[in-house]
Amino acid sequence: MSSILPPASRVWWKEPVEKIELVWIGIALVWALILFFMMPYWHVFGKQNLSNEAYRISPERYLAKAQAMVDQYTVRQETDQNIPVAHPPAGSDVYLVARLWSWWPILELENGKSYRLHLSSLDYQHGFSLQPENINAQVVPGYEMVITVTPNKAGNYSVVCNEYCGIGHHQMVGRIYVK
Ligand code: CUA
């Protein structure tokens, strides 16, 4: 029988539910509830969930704040593009600018200290992906994401753009140093 034909019995919807069907409905319900309560549970007890704040900000104003940090705390320049390396004091607000196709500046942070990491884009949507830790956040123009971070392992980290943003997307790689 196909659904094009009318059902054989006109009161098909009044048949008692098969036991095996009830069992599957029960299993699906229990699983759905487990997944539902995992969301708040994992937010509190999971190790990789970001409690971020988001604020509206214009790209110009965001760039001005990042520029102020770079002007004050640049300790040296690196790479053939002379990207500034900023080493702001522990506990302060640190800024990372995303734009076609770079992360700016390079941040140098201290191990075991907390920072308020600000992320925003000046043009299109980018994706912040900290490697090899695999911490991810969306970076959207017009909004400033603020994440409180406490690096717990010294090393050199890469910031990879993981949101496709055009022809230079694969070159959009930045750095964060933890000392
Ligand atoms: Cu920025 Cu992809």
Side-chain angles (χ1 to χ4, degrees):
M1 189 186 98
S2 79
S3 57
I4 297 170
L5 299 172
S9 162
R10 295 205 53 176
V11 289
W12 55 271
W13 44 271
K14 255 182 142 180
E15 298 282 321
V17 184
E18 294 250 7
K19 200 166 164 210
I20 189 70
E21 207 173 351
L22 281 177
V23 169
W24 278 113
I25 290 171
I27 290 172
L29 179 68
V30 168
W31 184 237
L33 288 174
I34 289 172
L35 291 180
F36 180 78
F37 287 108
M38 269 309 278
M39 289 191 283
Y41 171 83
W42 201 247
H43 185 79
V44 175
F45 296 102
K47 291 224 164 87
Q48 279 192 332
N49 279 23
L50 308 172
S51 295
N52 58 351
E53 304 156 44
Y55 304 95
R56 265 182 184 279
I57 190 163
S58 71
E60 295 74 32
R61 224 181 106 47
Y62 185 77
L63 181 61
K65 291 208 285 182
Q67 187 72 56
M69 177 200 74
V70 167
D71 290 346
Q72 201 172 357
Y73 299 117
T74 292
V75 288
R76 61 180 184 279
Q77 302 198 321
E78 280 188 10
T79 80
D80 51 357
Q81 289 145 49
N82 292 330
I83 300 175
V85 179
H87 187 135
S92 65
D93 289 80
V94 299
Y95 297 84
L96 197 56
V97 175
R99 61 187 150 195
L100 302 175
W101 287 281
S102 65
W103 298 96
W104 184 89
I106 295 172
L107 294 172
E108 195 171 75
L109 309 179
E110 288 166 37
N111 195 5
K113 302 284 165 54
S114 290
Y115 298 85
R116 281 168 58 79
L117 172 64
H118 297 241
L119 299 168
S120 191
S121 165
L122 303 187
D123 37 47
Y124 302 101
Q125 181 169 7
H126 301 281
F128 172 91
S129 182
L130 186 73
Q131 299 299 332
E133 291 299 305
N134 199 23
I135 292 172
N136 300 284
Q138 295 284 332
V139 184
V140 186
Y143 289 91
E144 183 177 20
M145 292 293 174
V146 188
I147 307 166
T148 302
V149 293
T150 311
N152 58 6
K153 222 189 304 167
N156 296 348
Y157 296 85
S158 308
V159 179
V160 177
C161 181
N162 65 358
E163 197 71 56
Y164 183 71
C165 56
I167 198 151
H169 164 70
H170 62 289
Q171 294 172 323
M172 192 168 165
V173 181
R175 297 178 194 178
I176 293 179
Y177 299 143
V178 175
K179 299 218 155 166

